[in-house]
Amino acid sequence: MTRIVPPTIAVALLGAASLSSPERSAAAAAFAPSPPSFGAAAVGRARARGGASSLGEANTLEGRTIADGGAIRPLSNFILVRVADIQDKTESGILLSKTAKIEKTEGRVVSVGPGKVHQDSGLPFEMPVSEGDGVVYGKYDGTMVEYNGDRHALIRDDDVLVKYEGEKLTVDGVGVCNENVLVLADETEDETSGGLLLAAPGKDSAESRPSTGTVVKVGPGKMAADGTRMAMTVEEGDRVKFRDFAGYEVDIEGKEYSVVKMPEILAKF
């Protein structure tokens, strides 16, 4: 069998025959393939995806190495989220004391489970988030784990209050899941029409949290047994009244919003 040598390499080989030993070694090195390089960014992306790095670094869970380079794989409707760093200073740069540090319940989705199935029909539920999405979830939701030395949380898809793309949570980039509704809460009045100041409501008072507001975003609806989405009976721009203490408060760009489930909205006006 005749071996065909590309012209450029053939010329180099023919020329090399007349070279001294050191010169031939240098020529051979020039045509040798370079080994692949792995930059820090590539390694970081691999670890962010929940897998072992290209350099063979093993993943760790709670300080223990996962065998055979394995990674956490959420089951059912669980989602693995890398939790945002604890805020230890204000936006203006003032350092916060240890007790005043803000532990955020938001982060970036690392991996997503396959989803649960409908209890009656067995049809699969579509997972509402994807890898790389930013999410905000309830304060007491999820199970904290240490994965690759960083704080992570395993939450359910129902725990997701809002999701967003990009680095920051903004009104334009925010989205809601399932039967959730994002409402811009009305501000609590602190004085009467005659100008008298009102006492601040207690923390546990129904007056401490507004239960009216304007609908900003509406989720796709709850999934029915046949796989279709149930209709949402409110739309963006509606003024609504919802149950006292219903939903969760979410701060977006300095304004207070409430994430309320559709059955908790009592009326619109």
Side-chain angles (χ1 to χ4, degrees), residues 42-88:
V43 175
R45 285 194 296 270
R47 293 186 73 85
R49 288 194 298 269
S53 74
S54 301
L55 294 180
E57 289 186 46
N59 292 311
T60 61
L61 176 62
E62 307 291 2
R64 297 186 178 185
T65 301
I66 301 176
D68 302 323
I72 291 183
R73 295 185 296 273
L75 304 177
S76 185
N77 61 330
F78 280 96
I79 302 166
L80 179 65
V81 177
R82 188 191 183 283
V83 180
D85 295 334
I86 296 175
Q87 185 177 337
D88 57 3

Side-chain angles (χ1 to χ4, degrees), residues 5-17:
V5 180
T8 53
I9 298 179
V11 171
L13 292 176
L14 289 172

Side-chain angles (χ1 to χ4, degrees), residues 11 17 45 100-101 103 113 131 165 184-186 190 223 255:
V11 171
R45 285 194 296 270
K101 290 181 179 180
E103 185 170 346
E131 293 180 18
E165 297 179 354
L184 176 60
D186 291 336
D190 55 5
M223 194 181 90
K255 292 185 177 180

Side-chain angles (χ1 to χ4, degrees), residues 12-31:
L13 292 176
L14 289 172
S18 60
L19 299 176
S20 62
S21 295
E23 290 173 331
R24 282 198 298 271
S25 299
F31 286 92

Side-chain angles (χ1 to χ4, degrees), residues 11-204:
V11 171
L13 292 176
L14 289 172
S18 60
L19 299 176
S20 62
S21 295
E23 290 173 331
R24 282 198 298 271
S25 299
F31 286 92
S34 347
S37 61
F38 299 96
V43 175
R45 285 194 296 270
R47 293 186 73 85
R49 288 194 298 269
S53 74
S54 301
L55 294 180
E57 289 186 46
N59 292 311
T60 61
L61 176 62
E62 307 291 2
R64 297 186 178 185
T65 301
I66 301 176
D68 302 323
I72 291 183
R73 295 185 296 273
L75 304 177
S76 185
N77 61 330
F78 280 96
I79 302 166
L80 179 65
V81 177
R82 188 191 183 283
V83 180
D85 295 334
I86 296 175
Q87 185 177 337
D88 57 3
K89 65 174 63 176
T90 64
E91 292 184 359
S92 59
I94 299 175
L95 294 175
L96 300 172
S97 65
K98 185 175 181 180
T99 56
K101 290 181 179 180
I102 302 172
E103 185 170 346
K104 296 183 177 181
T105 53
E106 66 177 274
R108 193 69 55 179
V109 175
V110 175
S111 54
V112 179
K116 61 183 178 182
V117 297
H118 196 281
Q119 60 182 1
D120 297 324
S121 64
L123 291 174
F125 283 82
E126 180 183 358
M127 291 294 282
V129 296
S130 304
E131 293 180 18
D133 284 347
V135 293
V136 178
Y137 52 93
K139 182 177 181 180
Y140 301 105
D141 293 332
T143 299
M144 296 297 298
V145 295
E146 183 186 283
Y147 184 48
N148 289 336
D150 295 321
R151 295 188 315 137
H152 289 69
L154 281 164
I155 63 174
R156 297 182 185 273
D157 61 342
D158 294 333
D159 298 331
V160 177
L161 301 179
V162 295
K163 62 180 181 178
Y164 60 95
E165 297 179 354
E167 295 300 319
K168 296 185 67 176
L169 175 59
T170 63
V171 176
D172 292 336
V174 73
V176 287
C177 310
N178 302 322
E179 57 179 346
N180 287 339
V181 179
L182 183 66
V183 179
L184 176 60
D186 291 336
E187 294 184 5
T188 304
E189 295 183 359
D190 55 5
E191 64 180 43
T192 66
S193 57
L196 296 176
L197 294 177
L198 299 173
K203 183 178 180 181
D204 297 327

